[in-house]
Amino acid sequence: MNRPGVDRSGTGGAAAPATGSGRIRTPLPFPTAAKPAVADAQLRANLHRATRTIRAKRARVVDEVPDWEALRDAGSAIKADVQRRLPELLEQFEASATAAGATVHWARDAAEACRIVVALTRAAGADEVVKVKSMATQEIELNEALEAAGIAAYETDLAELIVQLGEDTPSHILVPAIHYNRAQIREIFQRRMPDAPPDLSDEPAALAEVARAHLRRRFLSARVAVSGANFAIADTGTLVVVESEGNGRMCLTLPETLISVVGVEKLLPTFTDLEVFLQLLPRSSTGERMNPYTSMWTGVTPNDGPQAVHVVLVDNGRSAVLADPVGRPALSCIRCSACLNVCPVYERAGGHAYGSVYPGPIGAILSPQLTGVADNASLPYASTLCGACYDVCPVKINIPEILVHLRQQAPHPVAEKATMRVLAWVMRSPRRWATALRLARVGAGPLGAYRERRSGARTLRRLPWPASAWTRSRDLPLPAPQTFREWWEKQ
């Protein structure tokens, strides 16, 4: 069986990166896009407060689990197995879901996925849809495609609603409105929500109650709902959505038609495998022992819930990622956002600087692979390589290793290439290296002022152009006054 949307070779073959529509490409290099965010004191305060709170909650609930590392190993192994057997598991999922009454569609890229959803919505006679929070639908820019077709899409997750009403884009995988504080959210509600009272306070309970009343009418009138899926179970055809507000449960049960847009990497082989991830995901994402709402559905149940269930399996560059044995583990991501919450770069720059629906460390390795590294060449450098992301990843994705791998693939300026070739030539010879160190000690003095640290190490504070781009934000360590070999010879 050869479905049109997914490369079936087992290794990803020579599949090309995504070329359809989709908010993956970054319009500006990361350093340029990050400058306004770094200068925004209010944004940095919002990000610091939110990420610090989530980090602390996660640490507490993870410490309660004595076999946490074993769970991480199990999650990593299951995802690796999925990647090895992806074509087989996709066909198994299709057969299982179809047998249960669902209709499975295949989409090569974002444009094809959007066409399928638009056609299904029109076939249902609907001119609006309610949506469960979904990274996949953001990736393919489904809302924009629906709007172009005259179909209104209403986000029902509270944070996604805030972002939509504010005519903004999400800046965090789990908490899309993390860059807003309570006062800013109240202002958005009063400005864009007709039924918001004029004396609305910025207390969380009051804001949630207004949103609840606003969305209730949408839930009761919608004929079509669109969701993603956290997991898709191959042996049963079951889809799983975990959430904290109950909006997902309303979308998944009330409308007549349910359309689920699912990245092909979301598969798990068996229902038993779900047990591992329902322990890993809530602790890593929201810092909870379990999700308040875990919804599962398998095809159609007569007279109960949606009577037309569609699953759109989306590739959109994932086959290209699968073809790279070093970059492939990025497909193991379960979208918990733990890596964002510990990343010092994300905490200071925020999600919008990444120019992609996937921000933070996972976005820095996933977005370039989905589109081709040349289209997101700066993202692999949006990291200090400190490794905090690897330490907290519930499925042990070695993000620093993949970042270095992608940096090697990124295009480099001619001057940088020439510099590296010269350095490589110098470092290949001990004699040339020793001579270079002596010249560096002699030449460092006239270049600029240096300062001596408590450790005794000296650092150069200013260099002339073009090296001034380096010393503008960091000091350059100077060579030691005496090398170990020189000291050894004298002693």
Side-chain angles (χ1 to χ4, degrees):
M1 186 184 301
N2 183 30
R3 298 302 177 193
V6 180
D7 175 75
R8 316 298 285 181
S9 66
T11 62
T19 55
S21 64
R23 192 163 48 236
I24 300 176
R25 287 180 174 84
T26 177
L28 292 172
F30 180 84
T32 304
K35 280 183 179 179
V38 173
D40 188 334
Q42 182 61 64
L43 173 63
R44 292 184 63 176
N46 294 348
L47 290 170
H48 175 70
R49 185 181 309 109
T51 55
R52 181 182 58 185
T53 300
I54 299 171
R55 282 198 305 266
K57 289 179 63 180
R58 176 198 171 277
R60 284 196 297 271
V61 295
V62 165
D63 286 345
E64 298 173 352
V65 184
D67 61 343
W68 180 252
E69 289 304 314
L71 282 171
R72 293 180 70 205
D73 289 334
S76 177
I78 292 169
K79 282 293 188 176
D81 178 52
V82 169
Q83 291 153 24
R84 284 190 295 269
R85 300 193 291 131
L86 185 57
E88 166 198 336
L89 293 174
L90 284 168
E91 293 183 356
Q92 184 182 12
F93 173 83
E94 180 189 37
S96 300
T98 302
T103 303
V104 178
H105 310 261
W106 301 75
R108 295 179 181 85
D109 54 29
E112 188 171 9
C114 288
R115 286 196 298 271
I116 292 170
V117 176
V118 168
L120 291 173
T121 304
R122 285 175 170 166
D127 59 4
E128 65 179 43
V129 301
V130 289
K131 290 186 68 223
V132 185
K133 182 181 182 305
S134 164
M135 302 298 296
T137 60
Q138 291 173 25
E139 175 190 323
I140 66 174
E141 292 188 337
L142 179 60
N143 286 11
E144 290 79 359
L146 291 170
E147 182 181 9
I151 300 169
Y154 297 105
E155 299 288 352
T156 65
D157 174 84
L158 177 56
E160 291 283 3
L161 174 65
I162 293 165
V163 169
Q164 186 178 46
L165 292 177
E167 298 181 315
D168 198 358
T169 55
S171 65
H172 191 278
I173 290 176
L174 180 69
V175 194
I178 195 172
H179 52 292
Y180 289 117
N181 59 32
R182 299 186 319 191
Q184 292 168 321
I185 295 170
R186 177 185 61 186
E187 188 275 328
I188 290 173
F189 280 8
Q190 289 182 321
R191 176 165 48 88
R192 296 298 309 278
M193 196 181 285
D195 41 2
D199 60 345
L200 177 64
S201 78
D202 64 358
E203 288 299 314
L207 296 171
E209 183 59 35
V210 168
R212 184 179 295 112
H214 174 79
L215 291 171
R216 179 72 57 161
R217 289 184 288 275
R218 302 291 184 199
F219 290 136
L220 295 177
S221 63
R223 299 174 62 184
V224 176
V226 176
S227 81
N230 294 97
F231 308 104
I233 313 301
D235 71 343
T236 63
T238 302
L239 293 179
V240 183
V241 164
V242 296
E243 40 113 6
S244 300
E245 300 171 15
N247 62 296
R249 184 68 57 83
M250 301 286 276
C251 291
L252 298 172
T253 55
L254 293 178
E256 301 167 5
T257 299
L258 173 60
I259 305 169
S260 299
V261 180
V262 184
V264 294
E265 80 282 12
K266 294 300 184 71
L267 286 176
L268 298 180
T270 69
F271 199 86
T272 305
D273 296 324
L274 190 60
E275 178 257 346
V276 173
F277 293 93
L278 290 184
Q279 295 181 75
L280 289 171
L281 181 55
R283 285 177 168 83
S284 297
S285 57
T286 55
E288 297 172 297
R289 296 177 181 88
M290 65 179 294
N291 294 98
Y293 295 89
T294 300
S295 299
M296 306 182 193
W297 67 101
T298 306
V300 175
T301 301
N303 303 314
D304 184 11
Q307 296 302 289
V309 174
H310 299 270
V311 183
V312 183
L313 294 173
V314 181
D315 187 326
N316 203 39
R318 286 157 175 80
S319 289
V321 183
L322 190 65
D324 184 344
V326 178
R328 182 183 304 165
L331 295 178
S332 299
C333 176
I334 58 175
R335 309 293 191 266
C336 69
S337 75
C339 61
L340 280 71
N341 300 326
V342 299
C343 178
V345 176
Y346 176 86
E347 185 175 330
R348 287 155 181 80
H352 291 152
Y354 293 81
S356 166
V357 68
Y358 301 110
I362 188 61
I365 64 170
L366 186 57
S367 297
Q369 294 192 88
L370 289 176
T371 65
V373 176
D375 287 332
N376 275 296
S378 68
L379 288 189
Y381 293 90
S383 169
T384 65
L385 300 180
C386 68
C389 50
Y390 183 28
D391 292 340
V392 300
C393 176
V395 289
K396 289 193 169 182
I397 302 172
N398 192 337
I399 293 177
E401 179 183 58
I402 300 175
L403 286 169
V404 172
H405 172 65
L406 295 176
R407 289 180 184 186
Q408 294 169 350
Q409 299 179 24
H412 298 277
V414 174
E416 181 180 329
K417 289 181 179 179
T419 301
M420 292 302 170
R421 281 196 293 268
V422 171
L423 287 173
W425 178 79
V426 170
M427 293 178 179
R428 277 197 297 267
S429 166
R431 180 172 297 178
R432 290 195 292 263
W433 177 244
T435 302
L437 286 178
R438 286 195 294 270
L439 292 175
R441 288 201 296 268
V442 173
L447 289 177
Y450 67 85
R451 61 180 176 183
E452 189 162 335
R453 299 185 179 275
R454 290 180 181 178
S455 63
R458 300 185 305 164
T459 58
L460 197 62
R461 302 179 64 182
R462 292 187 301 276
L463 283 173
W465 185 89
S468 58
W470 176 274
T471 54
R472 186 182 302 122
S473 56
R474 58 181 71 80
D475 291 344
L476 180 68
L478 286 174
Q482 185 180 46
T483 68
F484 173 78
R485 289 179 181 273
E486 291 170 341
W487 175 88
W488 182 264
E489 289 175 1
K490 288 184 178 181
Q491 296 300 317

